[in-house]
Amino acid sequence: MDHVLSPKRPGNFTYTTITMIQAKKKLNLLKIASNFIVGADVASIEPYGSGHINDTYYINNTNKEDPGYLLQRINHRVFKDIPSLINNIHLVTNHLRSKLKEIPGADPDKEVLSLVMTNDHSYYFSDERGNYWRMYKYLKNTKSIDIVQTNEQAFEGGKAFGKFQMLLFDLDINLLNYTIPAFHHIGLRLTRLNTSLQTDPLDRKKTVAAEVEFIQHRVEHMCAILNLGREGGLPLRITHNDTKFNNILLDENDQAQCVIDLDTVMPGYVAYDFGDAIRSIINTAPEDEADLNKISLNIPLFEAFTRGYLQESAGFLTENEIRSLPLSVLLFPYMQGVRFLTDYLNGDVYYKTHVPDHNLQRARAQFQLLRKLEEQYAKIEGFIWQAANTHLNKDINTNRSEAV
Ligand code: ADP
Ligand code: GN1
Ligand code: MG
């Protein structure tokens, strides 16, 4: 527990300005924040970020030297066992911190998230309504971006996720809990979609015939990574599992500073992190783009991310893991589309939505991205092998198509 703020006096909270929608909520937030040990009085609490699952608030305080805090309500309909989730984050952040301490020039305080302790020395607080809350120290002068602009940003992102996996390589995988069991299990995702199609609670099935056909057409190919893993061909490692680009904090010079959003860190295949990151980087349009004509591929960003990722990870990846990377680039828009479509059929109960039929729009955008990726697959696969071979200094690109 040496990595968090040392217990100081609990903040003597004053209600200065709190920008929230309902007065009732405002008071609750202040009260909730008062359960955590922060450096000074709270000056303001503002909604923050654009995540689909949790609720995030920035807490500014009256101490000008203190960069503030992020208070997050963890969605306990999605994450069923919050103590286990917090335990994972505590374990992982401690491990990252101790590894970074050994690296000359690294700054663990800036490069790793720090959980803030509650007054009763826990790392989460459960309120009387059954909500779960946690707090992180705010990392100042950082930014997270939804749409990557430059090759340098993409390269930095690749390095950040590759390094994240590399630093966790020697943490005992058995210590981690599955915060969402079978999270990236495409077989299970397809089963759930089928169930939703059969029950069709909102009579929406009739609007998704084309999407269902699109999905069915690709089932076998999309199960290849899962099957390779089941046959023992892929090692389980500690992976992030939510590698959207906005889960990296960049510093003012666009250098990757810290990997964030650690709720889904658990055992997984490295390809899952690679594929989900490419999904968010290679698309020239937002994830939920309504105009499908705007969705195209930014290949240089993909290449830059891949170079950065392999620079950090090629040293420990197996040949099969490298073989699984190109396929993951197809798998993630597919799986994400399946998940959005399932939520649409279920009545939008999982992802936050902001416009009518948002989940259907999101699913369609993901499937359009997949069409574009399929057209360029040979190029994508070729580049990954080329970049991997540069680091491995040998040509291991043999029988690649047969193996997956
Ligand atoms: P969500 O699950 O909603 O995506 P995140 O943990 O990713 O929540 O946080 C939401 C946003 O808050 C991030 O995209 C990032 O901009 C910002 N953020 C998260 N953690 C920190 C931090 N410790 N310091 C500064 N900004 C942060
Ligand atoms: C969710 O919370 P957020 O926005 O980082 C989801 C991811 C999806 C992503 C799609 C726990 O992530 O799996 O890839 O939306 N997280 C969870 O944008 O389901
Ligand atoms: Mg996030």
Side-chain angles (χ1 to χ4, degrees):
M1 296 194 178
D2 55 332
H3 66 290
V4 294
L5 289 173
S6 56
K8 293 179 188 149
R9 73 182 171 91
N12 177 19
F13 292 90
T14 50
Y15 187 88
T16 314
T17 51
I18 297 179
T19 316
M20 284 302 301
I21 305 150
Q22 298 161 354
K24 208 172 166 192
K25 268 195 181 171
K26 290 177 192 172
L27 289 168
N28 277 347
L29 284 174
L30 192 65
K31 197 170 150 208
I32 285 151
S34 74
N35 287 283
F36 292 84
I37 301 169
V38 297
D41 295 344
V42 170
S44 64
I45 304 182
E46 320 249 351
Y48 203 83
S50 59
H52 295 341
I53 308 291
N54 295 326
D55 299 319
T56 302
Y57 305 91
Y58 173 65
I59 299 198
N60 197 0
N61 65 21
T62 51
N63 177 357
K64 295 283 170 251
E65 303 300 307
D66 186 332
Y69 303 87
L70 276 195
L71 176 68
Q72 293 186 309
R73 180 167 61 169
I74 311 166
N75 186 328
H76 62 276
R77 280 179 294 110
V78 168
F79 299 104
K80 311 272 187 223
D81 181 354
I82 308 285
S84 291
L85 175 151
I86 293 290
N87 198 50
N88 276 10
I89 295 178
H90 188 235
L91 213 89
V92 163
T93 51
N94 269 348
H95 186 81
L96 292 173
R97 198 167 281 109
S98 65
K99 296 290 295 252
L100 286 174
K101 277 183 190 154
E102 294 163 15
I103 300 177
D107 184 345
D109 288 338
K110 284 186 171 173
E111 295 171 40
V112 186
L113 283 176
S114 293
L115 284 165
V116 177
M117 211 180 245
T118 62
N119 297 327
D120 53 5
H121 295 192
S122 172
Y123 290 106
Y124 68 90
F125 169 73
S126 46
D127 68 21
E128 67 277 2
R129 294 185 189 181
N131 290 313
Y132 289 85
W133 301 84
R134 61 138 175 264
M135 200 183 268
Y136 286 121
K137 284 199 220 175
Y138 186 79
L139 292 164
K140 65 175 180 186
N141 303 326
T142 60
K143 62 185 173 194
S144 66
I145 50 175
D146 291 329
I147 305 256
V148 182
Q149 305 293 345
T150 68
N151 292 349
E152 192 193 0
Q153 291 169 342
F155 180 74
E156 281 292 310
K159 272 196 335 192
F161 283 129
K163 189 171 167 191
F164 185 83
Q165 291 178 346
M166 188 264 290
L167 292 173
L168 293 172
F169 181 82
D170 58 347
L171 175 60
D172 182 359
I173 202 165
N174 297 309
L175 298 174
L176 288 180
N177 304 290
Y178 284 85
T179 57
I180 302 181
F183 188 47
H184 289 322
H185 190 297
I186 186 59
L188 187 84
R189 296 287 177 193
L190 289 166
T191 303
R192 288 191 184 151
L193 173 64
N194 276 330
T195 306
S196 302
L197 284 167
Q198 275 158 25
T199 51
D200 193 19
L202 275 89
D203 197 24
R204 288 179 165 179
K205 181 179 164 180
K206 55 182 186 279
T207 57
V208 302
E211 286 71 28
V212 171
E213 200 195 326
F214 180 91
I215 292 164
Q216 277 166 348
H217 193 63
R218 289 158 175 80
V219 168
E220 204 185 320
H221 195 208
M222 293 299 153
C223 289
I225 293 180
L226 187 67
N227 292 336
L228 187 61
R230 272 190 187 140
E231 291 156 10
L234 291 172
L236 272 178
R237 302 197 189 276
I238 298 171
T239 47
H240 184 282
N241 297 305
D242 188 3
T243 51
K244 271 200 292 200
F245 198 83
N246 67 13
N247 284 329
I248 298 166
L249 294 180
L250 301 175
D251 70 14
E252 289 163 313
N253 301 314
D254 274 355
Q255 305 294 294
Q257 180 173 320
C258 181
V259 170
I260 60 167
D261 211 343
L262 305 179
D263 296 334
T264 50
V265 176
M266 57 185 157
Y269 300 133
V270 292
Y272 292 163
D273 282 358
F274 184 79
D276 207 14
I278 298 299
R279 180 182 74 82
S280 72
I281 290 164
I282 202 169
N283 192 349
T284 53
E287 174 183 78
D288 61 347
E289 178 58 60
D291 180 354
L292 299 187
N293 292 320
K294 290 192 178 151
I295 297 174
S296 57
L297 305 186
N298 189 326
I299 295 288
L301 293 183
F302 151 76
E303 292 180 349
F305 180 91
T306 302
R307 270 197 298 273
Y309 173 73
L310 287 169
Q311 178 179 304
E312 298 294 328
S313 65
F316 68 83
L317 295 183
T318 66
E319 190 173 328
N320 267 351
E321 284 181 305
I322 296 171
R323 195 163 272 134
S324 67
L325 299 181
L327 195 56
S328 74
V329 173
L330 302 184
L331 175 62
F332 272 74
Y334 179 82
M335 182 146 58
Q336 195 59 66
V338 168
R339 292 175 62 192
F340 285 144
L341 199 69
T342 306
D343 198 32
Y344 171 69
L345 292 165
N346 290 347
D348 312 310
V349 291
Y350 187 90
Y351 297 103
K352 291 178 193 169
T353 53
H354 309 296
V355 294
D357 295 344
H358 204 170
N359 277 314
L360 178 59
Q361 180 180 315
R362 286 169 170 154
R364 287 182 172 152
Q366 292 301 300
F367 294 147
Q368 178 67 4
L369 176 63
L370 177 52
R371 281 186 202 98
K372 296 283 174 187
L373 288 162
E374 286 171 343
E375 284 165 22
Q376 299 290 321
Y377 188 66
K379 196 182 209 175
I380 287 167
E381 187 183 34
F383 185 82
I384 291 171
W385 280 105
Q386 186 196 319
N389 286 331
T390 310
H391 290 289
L392 297 171
N393 209 14
K394 60 180 178 170
D395 193 344
I396 56 171
N397 182 10
T398 49
N399 299 327
R400 66 185 188 226
S401 307
E402 290 83 342
V404 282

